[in-house]
Amino acid sequence: MANSTEAQKPQNPKKNKKKGATLDTFYGAKIQNTEEIEDDTQENVPKPSKGNGNSPQTHEEFESEMTKKMEAFWEEKWEIMQKKFTHLQNQFDQSEKENQALKARIKQLEDNDRVKEQELIKQSQNTKKLEENIKYLTDKVTDLENRGRRDNLRIIGLPEKPEINTKLDIVIQDIIKENCPEILEQGGNTATDRAHRTPSTLNPQKTTPRNVIVKFQSYQTKEKILQEARKRQFRYKGMPIRVTQDLASSTLNDRKAWNMIFRKARELGLQPRISYPEKLTIYFQGKVWAFNKIEDFQLFAKKRPELCGKFDTEKQRARNT
């Protein structure tokens, strides 16, 4: 009977009761539904002991305790979030300050660049003025040097011999007697102040003789000799020499640029002449044409079929360089 009684004894309805669904909180905490909480509360609360007089925990007390824990939890999280937000705010403020500082620095650099650009423009203008002044002064000095040489003649091709170098004054008089005796017949003053070789020292690597510079006492006599030298070839004891106006080295270099054009123009019968300081004149189609620059002559020659292609100035420039 006892066994049958125990078999017929109903099971504990609490054990058959299904567990309710769970609610997920933000950080993984799980809270059971109301029925399960109530069952677990009744099962898990401490039983009142006979000795101490404690009472079981009620549902309201449990909810109050859970609320306090959740409030404490979220207060802690809120404090952490506030600290992070404050840190981010500080970083943002610092970045904003650095950004403002960089903007101010960029503006300052732009202003400095603008000032430097203006100064550069002024310096360029000053440099251009200085270059113009230097060119003017250089041309002025060259002109003064050429005017100081107006009584001089340059003799090219006179043999480099000791008997000639020691008696240059006598050699000059012999050249005048041989090539233009009419000057002596007219009683011209052919006296010279000095005559010397240039450069002063002989370069053994050069095979051509040094030029001879002669300074005459009379400018008129010097001009007569120069005019005769332009008409015909001068000689000294049968050897050909050339007599030209003595000029500054810069002017002579400028005149050398005309050499090829001058020779070709002479071959074509254009009667070329280099006038002071480095101007080329030719006689073409019944007119006298003057050119201060080689480029001007090139344009002139290209427009004339009779002259086009006959003056190759590029070869002459390559030869001079």
Side-chain angles (χ1 to χ4, degrees):
M1 292 296 290
N3 294 331
S4 61
T5 305
E6 291 176 359
Q8 295 177 358
K9 188 176 181 180
Q11 296 179 356
N12 190 355
K14 296 180 181 178
K15 295 182 179 180
N16 295 331
K17 194 177 291 184
K18 293 182 179 181
K19 294 184 177 180
T22 62
L23 298 176
D24 294 338
T25 61
F26 286 101
Y27 292 90
K30 295 181 179 180
I31 302 176
Q32 297 174 340
N33 58 18
T34 307
E35 296 178 355
E36 188 176 356
I37 292 173
E38 184 178 357
D39 294 339
D40 290 341
T41 301
Q42 292 177 0
E43 291 179 357
N44 296 329
V45 294
K47 301 296 182 178
S49 61
K50 296 180 181 180
N52 55 17
N54 292 332
S55 61
Q57 187 178 18
T58 64
H59 177 68
E60 289 77 6
E61 292 176 348
F62 177 77
E63 286 184 349
S64 176
E65 182 178 355
M66 291 299 295
T67 301
K68 291 180 179 180
K69 289 182 178 180
M70 292 298 293
E71 289 177 353
F73 172 79
W74 285 112
E75 286 180 359
E76 181 180 358
K77 294 297 182 182
W78 178 251
E79 291 178 357
I80 294 173
M81 292 177 66
Q82 281 185 330
K83 291 181 180 180
K84 290 184 177 180
F85 178 78
T86 303
H87 179 66
L88 291 175
Q89 184 67 33
N90 293 335
Q91 287 183 341
F92 176 79
D93 294 340
Q94 183 66 24
S95 299
E96 186 68 19
K97 291 179 181 179
E98 292 177 356
N99 187 25
Q100 294 296 331
L102 289 174
K103 287 182 179 180
R105 181 61 177 168
I106 291 173
K107 187 177 183 303
Q108 183 180 2
L109 291 175
E110 289 177 349
D111 294 339
N112 292 339
D113 289 341
R114 193 177 298 107
V115 172
K116 289 181 179 179
E117 185 177 358
Q118 294 175 355
E119 291 179 354
L120 182 61
I121 293 173
K122 292 181 180 179
Q123 290 179 357
S124 299
Q125 294 174 351
N126 293 334
T127 302
K128 185 177 180 180
K129 290 180 180 179
L130 289 175
E131 290 176 352
E132 293 175 353
N133 291 336
I134 290 173
K135 185 179 183 306
Y136 170 77
L137 293 175
T138 302
D139 294 341
K140 190 69 174 177
V141 170
T142 302
D143 181 67
L144 291 174
E145 184 177 358
N146 288 328
R147 291 181 183 277
R149 296 169 182 258
R150 64 193 303 268
D151 297 334
N152 297 358
L153 284 179
R154 182 182 291 261
I155 302 175
I156 303 171
L158 194 64
E160 188 87 36
K161 295 180 180 180
E163 59 272 18
I164 295 178
N165 294 340
T166 56
K167 300 178 181 179
L168 284 176
D169 294 336
I170 299 175
V171 171
I172 300 303
Q173 298 299 324
D174 293 340
I175 292 174
I176 296 173
K177 290 178 183 179
E178 183 176 353
N179 295 277
C180 45
E182 63 274 7
I183 296 178
L184 297 175
E185 294 174 358
Q186 295 173 1
N189 180 14
T190 60
T192 59
D193 285 338
R194 62 180 181 273
H196 64 276
R197 294 275 186 177
T198 181
S200 57
T201 57
L202 179 62
N203 187 355
Q205 295 180 355
K206 288 188 176 182
T207 58
T208 57
R210 293 174 294 171
N211 296 344
V212 176
I213 306 297
V214 183
K215 181 176 177 59
F216 287 87
Q217 294 181 357
S218 172
Y219 172 77
Q220 289 76 14
T221 301
K222 168 254 174 184
E223 281 295 315
K224 290 180 181 180
I225 297 173
L226 186 60
Q227 290 175 4
E228 294 296 327
R230 290 170 179 168
K231 295 178 182 178
R232 60 182 180 274
Q233 176 73 56
F234 271 34
R235 294 180 178 275
Y236 174 68
K237 294 183 180 180
M239 294 180 295
I241 58 174
R242 189 156 62 96
V243 178
T244 63
Q245 172 69 46
D246 180 36
L247 298 169
S249 59
S250 59
T251 305
L252 291 175
N253 291 332
D254 293 336
R255 286 193 170 197
K256 284 181 181 179
W258 291 105
N259 284 349
M260 190 278 296
I261 295 176
F262 185 88
R263 289 194 297 268
K264 191 64 179 179
R266 178 179 289 177
E267 293 176 4
L268 296 175
L270 300 179
Q271 302 177 16
R273 180 178 176 183
I274 303 294
S275 58
Y276 180 82
E278 58 269 351
K279 180 188 296 184
L280 174 69
T281 59
I282 61 173
Y283 185 79
F284 180 70
Q285 294 181 350
K287 296 181 180 179
V288 177
W289 303 83
F291 307 95
N292 293 319
K293 296 181 180 180
I294 295 179
E295 291 78 8
D296 298 337
F297 180 81
Q298 287 177 331
L299 294 175
F300 175 83
K302 287 180 180 180
K303 295 178 181 179
R304 271 71 181 178
E306 302 88 341
L307 304 178
C308 184
K310 296 182 179 180
F311 295 91
D312 191 356
T313 57
E314 296 297 330
K315 291 184 180 179
Q316 176 65 24
R317 289 181 179 178
R319 190 180 307 166
N320 293 336
T321 56

